[in-house]
Each structure stands twice: as structure tokens, then as C-alpha cells.
Amino acid sequence: MTGTEISTGTRSPLWRNVRVIRVALQVMAVVVVFGAIWILGTNLRDELIAKNLPTGFDFLNQPTGVTIADSSFKPSSPVWAALIAGMKNTFALTIVGIPLVTILGTLIGVARLSTNWLVAKAAAVYVETIRNIPPLLIILFVFNVVILPLPAPNDPATPLDWFVISNLKIVGPGFTSSPGAGILLIIVILALVAAVIVGRWRTRYSDQTGEHHHRMLWGLGVFAAIVLVGYVVTGRPVAFSLPVLEGRVITGGFGGLGSYFAVLAALVIYTASHVAEIIRGSILAVPRGQTEAANAIALTGFQRLRFVILPQAFRFALPPMINQYLNFTKNTSLAIAIGFAEITLVTFQLIGNGFPAPQLILLLMGAYLLFTLTISLIANVINRRLQLVTNR
Amino acid sequence: MKRIAILAVAFALVLAACNGNSDATTTVPSGTDDTPPPAAMGDLLQTVIDRGSVICGVNEAVPGFGYTDADGNFSGFDIDYCRAVAAAVFGDAEAVTYRALTAQQRFTALQSGEIDVLIRNTTFTASRDGREGATFLTTTFYDGQGMMVRSDSGITSIDDMANLSVCVLSGTTTELNLAARFGDTPFTPLTFDNNDQLQAAFVAGQCDGWTSDKSQLAGVRTNFPESEGGPEALTILDETFSKEPLGPVVADGDSQWAQVVNWVVLATIQGEEWGLTSANVKDYDGDNNEIRRFLGLEVTTDEGTAVFDPGLGLPTDFAVQVISQVGNYGEIFDRNVGPSTPLGLQRGFNAQWTDGGLLYAPPYR
């Protein structure tokens, strides 16, 4: 430390000490930010009181009186249950949508770099058209042009007797569950963990002995054995079922409202166009020498992509992909335009029926925050894992 | 992780600020020291006069009540009441700025002061009166909820509709009545936030029924596309399953402005009772002192002649302006929704009390 105090020998005054200034600035920034939030919050509260509007969150326990399509929600259920029902529908969109977006986006991104002229141009046209159309228009288009022209629910189409398709509801083969299905789900998760452990053990074994690891075979075998035993032990709680149409009631099978599929398809189509560009850019960012090296050891085109290019490209792609996943989640709020009861529609429905708007909008923002932070958290964990591999 | 923690703290702070005084609101009556006083009496009336126009929150998608034509002109029963307020305040029925609102937006617009008055087929309910900070004024239209189905569907009663789907506008009392009417009977409610998308879904057969106030159903029925069979393809079931008193709404806290809008409505009702129409109101020269007071004409009393001013804050001749420029209740009804219009509604409950209806204006004295 002595070396830093050169000529005078006296300590510099506190207000010129860099470390003190840094800390002070940070403290000030925190105070300003939280002060602003506090002022906004109290301002909101005072205005509400002045206008004789309810503050507080007591309304969450009152019955809503509204109904929500295709859900077990009853008009006598409280407000918080309605919000949960809305979040479930938003979750149903994101959990199915994000994997589909990843797959479709990757396919199109790879296709755009294809040496086949037709495939490359088709992918280019897709990306350039779709990503320049607002997602709301795509949702309205899919709903009005694809879903509504389907047969009306009083005379649905039943292709192969496996599906019941109408513009109200689309149901396909699925599983019916009885009590015990929850336990089976836990067993399946445990089986998955066991399979991963066995796979790791096989990898280690292979590293030590040099014998082939067959880890896929081993893992799947362990997984199948555990699940099969669990299935029998829990009393076969899950059965394959086809949708059955009786009058207007569809029992069995697995499906959703027409509006659900409209939002899902529209947002997957839209977001995939952005993901495709990310994938294309990431593939181009992999050094050319990697391709040449892969060619030099005579890998096929598919092998080159699967084992050399894509694993590296995904590392570049992941951070911007997280953004697209978040966009997908936030864009689900556009479903309000076609009446799919996700969290935004439910919130507005409640506001329209006399529940306080400021509080509900705060809760709505909180709900989206919860969704997006969860997604970033998961994605960041994956990202860190990928990054570690490079640093090793 | 740090980012999440910061966001969580910020969010909790807002919630806390919002929740902080929730107990105080229930115990402290408004107007005491620690709450800001409500807007001073007459503030909004003066604001409106200074601005030179009334900002009126309206519907734009219900023919007969509030509707915009292709040129963007508003017309309808509710629109005429906006014009009546302007006629009373300014003597000019055209001094109105219209704000088209959805059902969900309307109360927020009223609370935030974006509009002066909400005249948008809004049902008077206790919770809206209490929780939305709204003051409901004299009902202009006594309505009830009905169900519209395809004429060829074979549905004759709501009891035939178990397991069927029903389209409804979200954020409306009709949504609540629908749930109550079906009770434990399973059905699929499809909620839309605008009538156009709802109509597209109905045309495609996605919903078997379309529920709303009967007057609104009559309005959209007249507008049903000819390619789908026109109005004849639709039937409004006889059953009425709710009370829907519709009328103008103002924000809580300004009783003078509430009086002004209220007496504009009452003037149209009183005018009809006395047979004053847009054609004859300006020429009235009779000696009925009640009518002379109402029209702001000189009244002879023991102390001499004087013009009666009830102190509403309106010009003494406001009733003349309202009736001559917009018409009395009967004229407004007949012009927009009456038997000679496409909607073809009968007066029903909306007749004068002297004809067995519910329209009854208090004495003007």
C-alpha cells in the first residue's frame, strides 16, 4: 500500500478517495431507485384513497362470478383461483411453445444455409416475411383463416376416429389418469434420474476400460424397467384413450380449445423466424476451420452438423435464444384478441367486473416476471454449463 | 440471482406501498385530515366549460346505442345523451368529444378523469357503485339480458343449451349473469373483448349462443351480414334473465357535475311527460307555471315576476336547449331504437309512468 502514496505522504481526503466515491455513488443510485419506486407506490395509494377506491388486496378472496372456458374454475371460486387458472393457460402455451420454437427455428436456420438452392430460398422467404409481420396479425390470421373455418362444434370432423376436430375444440389421442398417476409421475422422474446416473457410470466405465459404453442402451433399459415396475405397482393409473364424442360432450383424449391452438401456432411460427436467424448467425460464427477439419476426417454432412457445428453454434445461440423465449412468453398476452383465457385476459376480465385495476395490474406484472425470471434462471444454468465446457 | 433479488425487492416495495394503508381506508372517512379532500364542488363543471366541450365515453359497436359509421360519425341513443349534456352546458349539442371505450376500459377511463361522463350502455350495480368510484345517475334504458341463437338451431330455451358454447363480451355484467343462469349446467363460455371478433366466432359456429343485453342483441342482429342470412337467421329467445338498468355514469367526488348530468336526463323525461318536443318547445307560451319554471320562462308570483333557477349550475333555459336540439325522451328513443328503426324495440318498461312504465322525473321546482 505504501507504494501508492507517492509524494505528499498525506492521505487523500475522503471525497477524493476513489473507493469511497464508488461506494457512495452506488448507495446513492440505490436510494434514488428505491425512493422513486416508493414515491410512485405511495402516490398510487394516496390517489386511490382520494378517489375512494379500495387499496389493499383483500379482494383476492372474494368470489369472482365469472367462468373460464375449458377449466374446472367455478364462478364461486375466489379471485386468486381465477388468476391461477389464467397462469395455467399461459404456462400451457409456453411449455409446449418453447420446445416447438426451438425445433422449428433450428430446422429453418439450418435450411437457410443449405446448399440446396430451393431449400435455402424457401427458408429465406419464410424468415423475411414472417419476422416482419406483427405477431398480433399472425394470431388474428391463424384464428380467422385457419381455426374458424374448421367444422362447427355441432358437426365436428372425426378423422380416423382418433381425432375430434372443430373450431371450438381439437382433441386427439391421449391418456386418462386415475388416482395414483401423481405417484407414477414421481416414479418416472426418479427413473429419469436413475437413467442419467447409470449413463454417467457407463461413461466413466468406458473411459477407464476402453470398452464401448452403450450408455443410451443402459440408460433406456434402466428407465423402462423402473417405469414398468412402477406402472404395475401403482395399479396402472394411466391408460391410452381416444376422444369419444357423445352429442356435444367429448370425453377422453387430449386436446385444447381452438383458440389455444391458434395462439400456439401463430406464436411458434412468428418466434421461429427470429430463432432461425439466431441459429444461422451462430452457425456462421463457428470458425470455418471446424468445417474443414470435419471434412478432413471424412464426416458426412449430417455428422458434421450433429457432432461439430451445432454443439458449438448452440453455445453462441443460447443467450439471444433466451430473449426469444422471453418474447414468446410475453407475446402470449396477445391471446386476449381471440378470447383465449390466459392470465392477461383473466386479469382484464376481473377488472371489468369490478375488481381494482391497479392491484390486479401489479399482480399481472408479477406473474409475467415470475414466468420470465424462471425461464432465464433455467436457461442461465444451461448456459453456464455450456460455458464451463469451453473453459475446462 | 442478484437481478432476481433486486426485482423482487422492488416489486415487494410497490405492493407494500399499495397495501400500506388498507386498514386506514376502511376506518377513516374521506375528507378527514390525513386524506386529500375530494375534488371541490363544481370543479369539473367549470373545467368542462373552460374546455369548451364535454368528453363523453361511448360505445362504437352497438347499432342504435353507440355506433360509428364508415365516416367516423357517432350516432345512437347513448350518443344523443352526450349531445344533450353538451346542449345543456353550452347550448350547443355538437360540443362533444367522443372517446370510444371497450367494456374493460370504461371505468379506468372514468376514474383517471380521461372522460367527463360515461354513457356506454353501462349497467348500474352495487359493486360498480361502491368499488369503481362511480356515481350512477338516472337510468335512461331499462334493459334485460337475453340469448340470441341461430334460427335453425332448434334451441327454444336456455335450458336446451347444456354443454353448448356461449359467446360473451368480457368485463360485462352479462358475463356474471350468464354464469349464474347456467349454474351447475356445464357449458363453454367464450369471452371476447370486442364485438367484431365475437361476431366472427359466432358466424363460424364456434358459439351456439350469443348473450348480451337484449337491446344490444337487437342492434347486432340488424347488422348481421346478409351473406349469413341477415337478421332473419337469428332468433332472440324470449327469456330475460337479468335486470340491466343502463344510464350515464360520472366519477365519485363531484356532486355538482353529477347533478348537471342527472337533470339533463330528467329534463328529457319531463319534457316528454308534458308533450314538449323539439318542434314545439321553443314556441311554448302557455300559462302552466310548472312548465314555465322548467323552461326558464318568467313566472308571475305574489312578489312579481322572476325566472326560476334551481341552482344546478346550468343556464335556466337548459331544458329548452336540450329538447330543441336533441329532443325529449320519446324522440330520442324513436329516432335510435324505436319501432320505425331497424332495431324495432317497443317502449316496454321505458314508457312514462303515466303509461305504466318506469320513467318518472321528480318535480322541477
Side-chain angles (χ1 to χ4, degrees), chain B residues 142-230:
Chain B
Y142 291 95
D143 209 339
Q145 187 173 346
M147 179 76 75
M148 184 161 68
V149 297
R150 244 163 257 282
S151 302
D152 60 11
S153 65
I155 300 167
T156 56
S157 149
I158 294 170
D159 298 323
D160 298 344
M161 298 186 73
N163 298 318
L164 301 192
S165 55
V166 179
C167 280
V168 60
L169 222 48
S170 74
T172 59
T173 49
T174 48
E175 198 183 353
L176 306 180
N177 299 327
L178 176 70
R181 174 63 183 82
F182 272 83
D184 291 335
T185 313
F187 76 109
T188 309
L190 295 173
T191 48
F192 290 89
D193 74 339
N194 72 75
N195 261 339
D196 295 334
Q197 193 60 61
L198 194 157
Q199 176 155 323
F202 186 78
V203 166
Q206 208 188 22
C207 19
D208 302 274
W210 180 346
T211 186
S212 187
D213 297 349
K214 279 191 162 177
S215 61
Q216 275 203 48
L217 291 178
V220 291
R221 182 172 175 269
T222 60
N223 223 21
F224 204 62
E226 284 301 328
S227 58
E228 300 296 328

Side-chain angles (χ1 to χ4, degrees), chain A residues 190-203 219 222-223:
Chain A
L190 289 178
L192 213 58
V193 173
V196 169
I197 293 171
V198 168
R200 289 233 177 121
W201 166 67
R202 286 305 300 176
T203 311
V222 168
F223 179 78

Side-chain angles (χ1 to χ4, degrees), chain A residues 30-341:
Chain A
V30 168
V31 168
V32 166
V33 167
F34 282 94
I37 293 171
W38 180 254
I39 288 171
L40 289 176
T42 48
N43 184 37
L44 170 65
R45 190 198 62 202
D46 292 346
E47 283 292 310
L48 289 178
I49 294 172
K51 291 202 157 74
N52 203 12
L53 295 170
T55 58
F57 290 86
D58 307 337
F59 67 92
L60 284 176
N61 287 318
Q62 291 171 1
T64 62
V66 302
T67 41
I68 294 173
D70 211 23
S71 114
S72 57
F73 184 79
K74 295 268 183 299
S76 56
S77 312
V79 170
W80 60 261
L83 294 174
I84 299 285
M87 285 179 76
K88 269 188 193 162
N89 278 339
T90 303
F91 181 72
L93 281 172
T94 48
I95 194 74
V96 179
I98 286 177
L100 288 179
V101 159
T102 313
I103 295 167
L104 185 63
T106 307
L107 285 179
I108 294 168
V110 171
R112 219 184 149 178
L113 292 172
S114 167
T115 46
N116 182 320
W117 184 86
L118 189 63
V119 170
K121 286 294 170 237
V125 168
Y126 174 94
V127 168
E128 291 306 331
T129 339
I130 298 294
R131 73 169 174 163
N132 290 314
I133 301 174
L136 176 63
L137 288 189
I138 303 180
I139 290 176
L140 289 176
F141 181 84
V142 172
F143 184 64
N144 285 302
V145 178
V146 181
I147 299 293
L148 283 186
L150 291 174
N154 55 15
D155 185 24
T158 53
L160 306 168
D161 286 333
W162 277 47
F163 296 89
V164 178
I165 297 175
S166 74
N167 54 23
L168 179 64
K169 240 179 151 177
I170 300 172
V171 186
F175 296 95
T176 48
S177 58
S178 46
I183 301 169
L184 185 63
L185 186 69
I186 295 170
I187 291 174
V188 169
I189 293 169
L190 289 178
L192 213 58
V193 173
V196 169
I197 293 171
V198 168
R200 289 233 177 121
W201 166 67
R202 286 305 300 176
T203 311
R204 232 180 11 253
Y205 181 76
S206 165
D207 286 349
Q208 285 162 2
T209 63
E211 287 174 38
H212 198 284
H213 51 62
H214 291 299
R215 60 184 174 203
M216 274 315 250
L217 214 60
W218 275 80
L220 280 178
V222 168
F223 179 78
I226 295 178
V227 169
L228 196 69
V229 170
Y231 179 71
V232 175
V233 168
T234 52
R236 308 177 182 217
V238 174
F240 183 73
S241 83
L242 291 175
V244 180
L245 186 69
E246 281 172 60
R248 283 290 294 275
V249 185
I250 303 169
T251 48
F254 183 75
L257 291 171
S259 50
Y260 169 79
F261 287 104
V263 182
L264 182 69
L267 288 182
V268 166
I269 289 169
Y270 174 75
T271 317
S273 69
H274 290 266
V275 170
E277 280 299 90
I278 294 170
I279 295 290
R280 183 176 72 104
S282 305
I283 290 176
L284 291 179
V286 175
R288 198 163 165 72
Q290 296 287 326
T291 313
E292 285 162 358
N295 286 339
I297 55 171
L299 294 183
T300 66
F302 174 77
Q303 284 173 329
R304 190 178 68 219
L305 211 54
R306 161 73 183 79
F307 295 108
V308 180
I309 306 299
L310 279 184
Q312 299 184 69
F314 273 122
R315 198 174 297 151
F316 296 116
L318 197 59
M321 291 270 269
I322 298 170
N323 271 336
Q324 293 308 322
Y325 295 158
L326 299 185
N327 279 343
F328 183 94
T329 311
K330 289 182 283 185
N331 282 340
T332 57
S333 62
L334 297 171
I336 191 170
I338 58 166
F340 179 67

Side-chain angles (χ1 to χ4, degrees), chain B residues 119-356:
Chain B
I119 313 184
R120 190 199 173 284
N121 39 36
T122 302
T123 306
F124 183 178
T125 71
S127 63
R128 284 175 171 180
D129 203 359
R131 286 197 220 125
E132 299 282 15
T135 300
F136 284 81
L137 306 172
T138 301
T139 298
T140 52
F141 196 96
Y142 291 95
D143 209 339
Q145 187 173 346
M147 179 76 75
M148 184 161 68
V149 297
R150 244 163 257 282
S151 302
D152 60 11
S153 65
I155 300 167
T156 56
S157 149
I158 294 170
D159 298 323
D160 298 344
M161 298 186 73
N163 298 318
L164 301 192
S165 55
V166 179
C167 280
V168 60
L169 222 48
S170 74
T172 59
T173 49
T174 48
E175 198 183 353
L176 306 180
N177 299 327
L178 176 70
R181 174 63 183 82
F182 272 83
D184 291 335
T185 313
F187 76 109
T188 309
L190 295 173
T191 48
F192 290 89
D193 74 339
N194 72 75
N195 261 339
D196 295 334
Q197 193 60 61
L198 194 157
Q199 176 155 323
F202 186 78
V203 166
Q206 208 188 22
C207 19
D208 302 274
W210 180 346
T211 186
S212 187
D213 297 349
K214 279 191 162 177
S215 61
Q216 275 203 48
L217 291 178
V220 291
R221 182 172 175 269
T222 60
N223 223 21
F224 204 62
E226 284 301 328
S227 58
E228 300 296 328
E232 298 309 311
L234 302 177
T235 305
I236 299 174
L237 300 181
D238 285 335
E239 181 177 344
T240 302
F241 54 96
S242 75
K243 294 190 285 190
E244 305 286 338
L246 313 177
V249 192
V250 296
D252 276 346
D254 190 333
S255 54
Q256 182 170 29
W257 176 245
Q259 283 166 10
V260 165
V261 179
N262 206 27
W263 277 94
V264 170
V265 174
L266 293 171
T268 63
I269 295 172
Q270 185 65 73
E272 189 188 24
E273 188 187 333
W274 281 331
L276 301 169
T277 65
S278 54
N280 68 19
V281 67
K282 279 198 162 158
D283 303 329
Y284 183 82
D285 199 22
D287 50 10
N288 183 332
N289 272 351
E290 279 186 279
I291 298 181
R292 292 187 72 87
R293 271 200 299 274
F294 179 61
L295 298 180
L297 300 172
E298 289 192 333
V299 180
T300 312
T301 61
D302 298 341
E303 290 123 40
T305 61
V307 171
F308 177 67
D309 182 359
L312 295 170
L314 282 170
T316 50
D317 71 337
F318 84 94
V320 179
Q321 299 296 345
V322 168
I323 296 173
S324 66
Q325 295 190 34
V326 185
N328 67 28
Y329 185 91
E331 289 178 279
I332 295 172
F333 189 99
D334 290 342
R335 183 191 315 142
N336 294 300
V337 298
S340 63
T341 64
L343 273 73
L345 299 180
Q346 299 298 320
R347 287 292 285 268
F349 287 124
N350 299 297
Q352 290 286 333
W353 62 288
T354 47
D355 297 335

